[in-house]
Amino acid sequence: MTAPVEVSPFEMIAYTGSRVLEDNTVVFVGTGLPIIAAMHAQLTHAPNLNMIFEAGAFASILEQGMPMSVGDTRAFRKACFAKGLCAAFELTQRGYSDYAFIGGAQIDQFGNVCSTYEGGDYLKPRVRFPGSGGAGAMAANCEKTIAIMALEKRRFVKKVDFITSIGFGDGSPDYREKAGVLGSGPYRVITNQALFGFDKATRKMMLLEYLPGKSPEAIQELVDFELIIAPDVKEMALPTKEDLELLHNQCDTEGLFLKRKVVEK
């Protein structure tokens, strides 16, 4: 019998992110795991996937390796479009981005993401985070939002302390329309232990897949609100040995993100 492949949390997030992306679409990526996921998708099932980088590059060919950041010169290699930050966001406002790939510190049951502060209030927070970057505009203008973060109860909260990147707001059907934002809103939430979507009727977070060896009940224990469980909930697909080789040997060749260690608290 073949021994099971050992997969780290970051490898799991990158691989699952790749699976979620589709061919012939455009994704607005952030630094790190989103770029790695998109590169893996291009190398496997989505060769015609194109990336937008916040600094202004569109549809680059990343033949010089993974950009260290969205402003790395490698992100502009053979780009079809290379103008600047404002032009990149204008593309999303004109409807040219199918996916926004963002991160954050907190997320709630309606897919609102906080990356501004935690605890206290805006002027006197307990913890201050870096803020939106471009994520707020990405979530407001791209067609679908994909969020990535570690699965922890302190992150998956009933209500975020501050809406940095808009989701479905309070869950009302016309919230996004009244807020004046574009796109259909939150689509997937990718974690190291589960893949979530959103129920169309209630706009609440729904468990779609869970890590092999876990269970829906175990995932619920890590979330501070009641999850909807998909009728066809199933185990997450694990990357093969070949997938891991692609991730390490052609995507994150220097191990800047995939080789990071998870600190248990």
Side-chain angles (χ1 to χ4, degrees):
M1 179 181 293
T2 303
V5 176
E6 290 189 12
V7 184
S8 75
F10 297 112
E11 291 168 342
M12 196 69 207
I13 289 173
Y15 174 68
T16 305
S18 171
R19 287 200 296 119
V20 167
L21 297 172
E22 299 172 301
D23 200 16
N24 297 304
T25 58
V26 175
V27 57
F28 201 139
V29 294
T31 299
L33 293 175
I35 297 177
I36 296 169
M39 290 180 71
H40 181 272
Q42 286 181 330
L43 292 167
T44 53
H45 64 280
N48 300 301
L49 174 72
N50 290 306
M51 291 179 243
I52 297 176
F53 292 91
E54 186 175 336
F58 171 63
S60 310
I61 297 176
L62 303 182
E63 60 188 14
Q64 293 180 318
M66 182 188 71
M68 299 292 186
S69 71
V70 294
D72 190 326
T73 55
R74 286 176 287 191
F76 289 80
R77 178 70 174 174
K78 296 184 179 179
C80 292
F81 179 100
K83 293 188 70 176
L85 183 146
C86 291
F89 283 104
E90 190 218 4
L91 282 176
T92 69
Q93 291 173 321
R94 291 195 284 131
Y96 286 104
S97 183
D98 299 292
Y99 299 108
F101 212 145
I102 67 174
Q106 293 179 328
I107 191 167
D108 65 23
Q109 61 184 327
F110 296 117
N112 303 298
V113 173
C114 173
S115 53
T116 302
Y117 73 86
E118 180 182 339
D121 58 33
Y122 186 84
L123 295 177
K124 293 183 178 180
R126 184 176 65 82
V127 180
R128 175 77 70 184
F129 299 121
S132 167
M138 291 160 67
N141 296 322
C142 298
E143 177 58 29
K144 299 176 181 178
T145 303
I146 302 169
I148 57 170
M149 62 184 67
L151 183 58
E152 300 172 332
K153 187 168 286 190
R154 67 187 181 93
R155 295 180 181 274
F156 284 71
V157 296
K158 292 178 182 178
K159 185 177 180 180
V160 291
D161 290 329
F162 184 89
I163 297 180
T164 311
S165 302
I166 191 170
F168 292 121
D170 60 8
S172 55
D174 57 353
Y175 185 93
R176 288 181 64 86
E177 182 181 359
K178 286 183 175 179
V181 299
L182 307 173
S184 58
Y187 174 60
R188 293 288 184 268
V189 181
I190 299 168
T191 78
N192 51 313
Q193 298 189 59
L195 173 66
F196 302 98
F198 292 86
D199 178 60
K200 290 183 179 180
T202 64
R203 288 156 293 282
K204 291 184 178 180
M205 196 178 295
M206 175 187 290
L207 178 62
L208 302 178
E209 300 177 7
Y210 53 90
L211 190 69
K214 298 289 183 179
S215 66
E217 293 75 20
I219 301 302
Q220 177 63 75
E221 287 296 315
L222 297 172
V223 175
D224 197 31
F225 52 84
E226 186 175 356
L227 285 168
I228 295 175
I229 308 300
D232 57 348
V233 66
K234 60 184 180 181
E235 291 187 342
M236 300 171 78
L238 295 175
T240 64
K241 181 180 178 181
E242 290 73 23
D243 287 314
L244 294 176
E245 288 176 350
L246 283 178
L247 287 171
H248 287 279
N249 298 335
Q250 294 195 48
C251 300
D252 187 10
T253 56
E254 297 178 60
L256 297 175
F257 300 96
L258 295 177
K259 289 186 177 180
R260 287 185 298 169
K261 301 295 183 181
V262 175
V263 179
E264 299 292 342
K265 293 185 178 181

